[in-house]
PDB file of all heavy atoms in Angstrom:
ATOM      1  N   LYS V1024      -0.668 -20.902 -41.027  1.00 98.00           N
ATOM      2  CA  LYS V1024       0.486 -21.828 -40.831  1.00 98.00           C
ATOM      3  C   LYS V1024       1.341 -21.225 -39.672  1.00 98.00           C
ATOM      4  O   LYS V1024       1.676 -20.055 -39.716  1.00 98.00           O
ATOM      5  CB  LYS V1024       1.359 -21.908 -42.084  1.00 98.00           C
ATOM      6  CG  LYS V1024       0.661 -22.666 -43.174  1.00 98.00           C
ATOM      7  CD  LYS V1024       0.729 -24.171 -42.991  1.00 98.00           C
ATOM      8  CE  LYS V1024      -0.208 -24.880 -43.958  1.00 98.00           C
ATOM      9  NZ  LYS V1024      -1.675 -24.806 -43.488  1.00 98.00           N
ATOM     10  N   LEU V1025       1.549 -22.059 -38.647  1.00 98.00           N
ATOM     11  CA  LEU V1025       2.311 -21.563 -37.454  1.00 98.00           C
ATOM     12  C   LEU V1025       3.658 -22.255 -37.280  1.00 98.00           C
ATOM     13  O   LEU V1025       3.737 -23.470 -37.496  1.00 98.00           O
ATOM     14  CB  LEU V1025       1.463 -21.694 -36.182  1.00 98.00           C
ATOM     15  CG  LEU V1025       0.141 -20.979 -36.129  1.00 98.00           C
ATOM     16  CD1 LEU V1025      -0.534 -21.323 -34.745  1.00 98.00           C
ATOM     17  CD2 LEU V1025       0.208 -19.495 -36.299  1.00 98.00           C
ATOM     18  N   ASN V1026       4.637 -21.489 -36.856  1.00 98.00           N
ATOM     19  CA  ASN V1026       5.900 -22.091 -36.339  1.00 98.00           C
ATOM     20  C   ASN V1026       6.067 -21.569 -34.967  1.00 98.00           C
ATOM     21  O   ASN V1026       6.295 -20.414 -34.664  1.00 98.00           O
ATOM     22  CB  ASN V1026       7.099 -21.724 -37.240  1.00 98.00           C
ATOM     23  CG  ASN V1026       8.424 -22.100 -36.606  1.00 98.00           C
ATOM     24  OD1 ASN V1026       8.423 -23.069 -35.848  1.00 98.00           O
ATOM     25  ND2 ASN V1026       9.477 -21.343 -36.924  1.00 98.00           N
ATOM     26  N   ILE V1027       5.928 -22.521 -33.970  1.00 98.00           N
ATOM     27  CA  ILE V1027       5.943 -22.155 -32.540  1.00 98.00           C
ATOM     28  C   ILE V1027       7.280 -22.451 -31.912  1.00 98.00           C
ATOM     29  O   ILE V1027       7.710 -23.590 -31.836  1.00 98.00           O
ATOM     30  CB  ILE V1027       4.801 -22.871 -31.762  1.00 98.00           C
ATOM     31  CG1 ILE V1027       3.468 -22.591 -32.425  1.00 98.00           C
ATOM     32  CG2 ILE V1027       4.828 -22.537 -30.286  1.00 98.00           C
ATOM     33  CD1 ILE V1027       2.261 -23.408 -31.944  1.00 98.00           C
ATOM     34  N   GLY V1028       8.008 -21.370 -31.489  1.00 98.00           N
ATOM     35  CA  GLY V1028       9.308 -21.519 -30.863  1.00 98.00           C
ATOM     36  C   GLY V1028       9.183 -21.430 -29.342  1.00 98.00           C
ATOM     37  O   GLY V1028       8.113 -21.377 -28.825  1.00 98.00           O
ATOM     38  N   LYS V1029      10.358 -21.364 -28.688  1.00 98.00           N
ATOM     39  CA  LYS V1029      10.360 -21.298 -27.240  1.00 98.00           C
ATOM     40  C   LYS V1029       9.787 -19.969 -26.699  1.00 98.00           C
ATOM     41  O   LYS V1029       8.921 -19.919 -25.827  1.00 98.00           O
ATOM     42  CB  LYS V1029      11.804 -21.460 -26.735  1.00 98.00           C
ATOM     43  CG  LYS V1029      11.979 -21.671 -25.189  1.00 98.00           C
ATOM     44  CD  LYS V1029      13.423 -22.098 -24.886  1.00 98.00           C
ATOM     45  CE  LYS V1029      13.621 -21.958 -23.388  1.00 98.00           C
ATOM     46  NZ  LYS V1029      13.273 -20.616 -22.869  1.00 98.00           N
ATOM     47  N   ASN V1030      10.211 -18.896 -27.388  1.00 98.00           N
ATOM     48  CA  ASN V1030       9.666 -17.562 -26.975  1.00 98.00           C
ATOM     49  C   ASN V1030       9.242 -16.671 -28.164  1.00 98.00           C
ATOM     50  O   ASN V1030       9.312 -15.520 -28.081  1.00 98.00           O
ATOM     51  CB  ASN V1030      10.747 -16.830 -26.148  1.00 98.00           C
ATOM     52  CG  ASN V1030      11.990 -16.625 -26.944  1.00 98.00           C
ATOM     53  OD1 ASN V1030      12.079 -16.993 -28.136  1.00 98.00           O
ATOM     54  ND2 ASN V1030      13.033 -16.059 -26.334  1.00 98.00           N
ATOM     55  N   PHE V1031       8.768 -17.365 -29.225  1.00 98.00           N
ATOM     56  CA  PHE V1031       8.268 -16.624 -30.359  1.00 98.00           C
ATOM     57  C   PHE V1031       7.233 -17.503 -31.049  1.00 98.00           C
ATOM     58  O   PHE V1031       7.184 -18.742 -30.867  1.00 98.00           O
ATOM     59  CB  PHE V1031       9.373 -16.250 -31.346  1.00 98.00           C
ATOM     60  CG  PHE V1031       9.992 -17.403 -32.042  1.00 98.00           C
ATOM     61  CD1 PHE V1031       9.435 -17.930 -33.229  1.00 98.00           C
ATOM     62  CD2 PHE V1031      11.140 -18.009 -31.584  1.00 98.00           C
ATOM     63  CE1 PHE V1031       9.953 -19.048 -33.873  1.00 98.00           C
ATOM     64  CE2 PHE V1031      11.655 -19.156 -32.197  1.00 98.00           C
ATOM     65  CZ  PHE V1031      11.110 -19.677 -33.370  1.00 98.00           C
ATOM     66  N   VAL V1032       6.413 -16.819 -31.917  1.00 98.00           N
ATOM     67  CA  VAL V1032       5.519 -17.606 -32.858  1.00 98.00           C
ATOM     68  C   VAL V1032       5.559 -16.942 -34.205  1.00 98.00           C
ATOM     69  O   VAL V1032       5.505 -15.663 -34.211  1.00 98.00           O
ATOM     70  CB  VAL V1032       4.041 -17.600 -32.313  1.00 98.00           C
ATOM     71  CG1 VAL V1032       3.077 -18.114 -33.401  1.00 98.00           C
ATOM     72  CG2 VAL V1032       3.872 -18.437 -31.034  1.00 98.00           C
ATOM     73  N   GLU V1033       5.754 -17.715 -35.210  1.00 98.00           N
ATOM     74  CA  GLU V1033       5.664 -17.198 -36.577  1.00 98.00           C
ATOM     75  C   GLU V1033       4.316 -17.596 -37.160  1.00 98.00           C
ATOM     76  O   GLU V1033       3.929 -18.722 -36.925  1.00 98.00           O
ATOM     77  CB  GLU V1033       6.835 -17.788 -37.431  1.00 98.00           C
ATOM     78  CG  GLU V1033       8.192 -17.116 -37.171  1.00 98.00           C
ATOM     79  CD  GLU V1033       9.310 -17.835 -37.945  1.00 98.00           C
ATOM     80  OE1 GLU V1033       9.514 -19.039 -37.707  1.00 98.00           O
ATOM     81  OE2 GLU V1033       9.915 -17.070 -38.781  1.00 98.00           O
ATOM     82  N   LEU V1034       3.730 -16.648 -37.926  1.00 98.00           N
ATOM     83  CA  LEU V1034       2.423 -17.008 -38.567  1.00 98.00           C
ATOM     84  C   LEU V1034       2.504 -16.586 -40.029  1.00 98.00           C
ATOM     85  O   LEU V1034       2.950 -15.543 -40.369  1.00 98.00           O
ATOM     86  CB  LEU V1034       1.364 -16.233 -37.870  1.00 98.00           C
ATOM     87  CG  LEU V1034      -0.109 -16.355 -38.453  1.00 98.00           C
ATOM     88  CD1 LEU V1034      -1.185 -16.382 -37.368  1.00 98.00           C
ATOM     89  CD2 LEU V1034      -0.440 -15.234 -39.440  1.00 98.00           C
TER      90      LEU V1034
END
Side-chain angles (χ1 to χ4, degrees):
K1024 290 281 167 283
L1025 300 181
N1026 169 25
I1027 301 170
K1029 191 170 166 306
N1030 57 3
F1031 68 86
V1032 169
E1033 282 176 299
L1034 174 144

